[in-house]
Amino acid sequence: TLEDAPSDEPQQFMADVLSPRSIMLQWSRPTEPNGIITGYTLVYDDTNEIQIIPLPNVLNYTLDNLNEFMNYMFLLSASTSVGMGPNATVNAMTQEDVPTAPP
């Protein structure tokens, strides 16, 4: 059989808020990869600027330097040498930071 783009999205896509500025994303491989997964593409909106991050064949990624107390929506797709599959989606909100000095 010839290789094709994945038929489904990465599975169990989860976000773990680590700090007011960091989120760790985790996932598992698509159940129907239709070939060898060569990597993933992560997309998110960071203060009205779309970020596109190509990732190697890994199952987690930590984002740092995010904005505090902000809701993020992350899209993740897997790729084979033929193309990208559909997106998995997860939302996460960074924490509110503690003030560094009294007002």
Side-chain angles (χ1 to χ4, degrees), residues 47-86:
T47 318
N48 299 320
E49 184 177 336
I50 301 296
Q51 302 291 326
I52 301 172
I53 303 173
L55 299 171
N57 193 3
V58 296
L59 297 176
N60 62 65
Y61 185 74
T62 300
L63 291 153
D64 296 309
N65 300 316
L66 297 172
N67 293 309
E68 63 187 58
F69 204 56
M70 184 168 172
N71 192 30
Y72 286 92
M73 180 173 71
F74 300 100
L75 306 173
L76 182 74
S77 61
S79 297
T80 64
S81 62
V82 178
M84 290 172 59

Side-chain angles (χ1 to χ4, degrees), residues 29-52:
R29 290 178 172 75
T31 55
E32 297 180 34
N34 296 330
I36 297 168
I37 299 296
T38 56
Y40 295 87
T41 302
L42 176 65
V43 178
Y44 70 99
D45 186 355
D46 187 18
T47 318
N48 299 320
E49 184 177 336
I50 301 296
Q51 302 291 326
I52 301 172

